[in-house]
């Protein structure tokens, strides 16, 4: 990537303000470090919990859940009779997510769905107070379209990897958003397409959270 990544000092400072982790989150972080698994990290995880609290979340839907890291961070902020729908294409990771949330005492809140999240969301009526989009980057706009009508006024759609994500070239994303005709890779085009879609939707207001690998936050206002 030819742009300066998000400053580490911002990440470090955000972690000092985030809710305290527990033994299970520490175990998840250690696993992510050991395996190079791309979780949102504790700074963004703590912030996701705050978003869930701010909207008094009853229901959460995740497009891509891995081994349950983001869901575990949000679970304490979801109402006792609420629900978090985890989706994951990798059956082993989904089973690990089930184990982590069960050990944390959150299994009763969780629905574990194996398969394509964009197909799975069609089986749910909503509403979803918080939506996390963290599946294949070239399908982010498609994920938004699939869930958009199920987000109530005041609800939030959060999308990870706006600035950094493997082959993502942030300079190319900026160029595409500016309308330039460039030879960009699929990931960069996917992120640009998502930002164009949510940014042009009059029912949502969108901003960027400069933590982790960059998080776009879109709140439904009408």
């Amino acid at each position: 990537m030819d742009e300066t990544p998000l400053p580490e000092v911002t990440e470090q400072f955000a972690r000092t303000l985030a809710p305290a982790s527990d033994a299970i989150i520490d175990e998840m972080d250690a696993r992510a470090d050991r395996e190079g698994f791309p979780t949102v990290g504790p700074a963004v995880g703590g912030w996701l919990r705050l978003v869930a609290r701010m909207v008094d979340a009853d229901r959460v839907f995740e497009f891509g859940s891995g081994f349950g890291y983001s869901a575990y961070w949000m679970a304490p902020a979801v109402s006792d009779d609420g629900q978090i729908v985890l989706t994951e294409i990798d059956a082993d990771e989904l089973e690990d997510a089930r184990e982590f949330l069960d050990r944390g005492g959150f299994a009763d809140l969780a629905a574990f769905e194996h398969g394509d999240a964009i197909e799975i969301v069609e089986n749910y009526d909503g509403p979803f107070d918080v939506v996390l989009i963290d599946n294949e980057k070239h399908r982010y706009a498609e994920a938004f379209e699939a869930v958009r009508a199920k987000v109530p006024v005041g609800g939030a759609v959060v999308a990870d990897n706006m600035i950094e994500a493997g082959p993502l070239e942030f300079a190319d994303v900026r160029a595409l958003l500016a309308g330039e005709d460039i030879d960009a890779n699929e990931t960069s085009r996917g992120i640009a397409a998502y930002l164009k879609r949510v940014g042009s939707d009059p029912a949502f207001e969108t901003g960027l959270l400069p933590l982790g690998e960059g998080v776009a936050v879109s709140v439904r206002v009408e």
Side-chain angles (χ1 to χ4, degrees), residues 1-199:
M1 189 173 70
D2 55 2
E3 295 274 337
T4 301
L6 292 174
E8 181 63 24
V9 65
T10 303
E11 183 83 6
Q12 292 172 350
F13 188 58
R15 290 187 184 193
T16 68
L17 300 175
S21 64
D22 62 17
I24 294 176
I25 289 176
D26 291 343
E27 182 179 339
M28 288 174 150
D29 282 327
R31 171 175 172 171
D33 289 343
R34 184 173 63 252
E35 299 178 0
F37 193 94
T39 68
V40 298
V44 173
W47 187 87
L48 287 173
R49 183 181 298 178
L50 180 62
V51 170
R53 289 200 192 282
M54 288 192 296
V55 304
D56 294 323
D58 288 320
R59 301 185 74 213
V60 175
F61 190 93
E62 292 191 332
F63 287 85
S65 296
F67 55 74
Y69 189 86
S70 297
Y72 193 97
W73 269 107
M74 286 188 281
V78 175
S79 61
D80 291 342
D81 57 350
Q83 182 184 50
I84 303 177
V85 181
L86 291 83
T87 67
E88 180 53 49
I89 200 72
D90 187 307
D92 291 336
E93 287 177 12
L94 190 65
E95 190 56 36
D96 289 344
R98 188 191 303 272
E99 179 183 341
F100 281 129
L101 268 73
D102 182 52
R103 287 169 52 198
F106 302 121
D108 290 344
L109 289 176
F112 300 91
E113 297 277 6
H114 176 228
D116 187 319
I118 294 175
E119 296 177 1
I120 291 166
V121 75
E122 299 298 332
N123 300 325
Y124 285 85
D125 293 331
F128 291 109
D129 306 296
V130 179
V131 173
L132 176 64
I133 299 180
D134 198 11
N135 58 334
E136 304 98 324
K137 311 313 167 194
H138 66 280
R139 301 182 73 196
Y140 271 27
E142 185 182 358
F144 178 75
E145 293 291 353
V147 79
R148 178 191 180 282
K150 301 176 184 183
V151 180
V153 172
V157 179
V158 181
D160 193 28
N161 302 117
M162 295 295 104
I163 295 176
E164 298 180 65
L168 177 69
E169 295 288 347
F170 185 52
D172 288 352
V173 173
R174 293 177 62 188
L176 290 166
L177 290 174
E180 297 179 26
D181 183 13
I182 63 170
D183 182 18
N185 62 47
E186 185 178 53
T187 297
S188 300
R189 288 190 177 278
I191 296 300
Y194 176 78
L195 289 171
K196 282 184 179 179
R197 177 64 187 89
V198 296

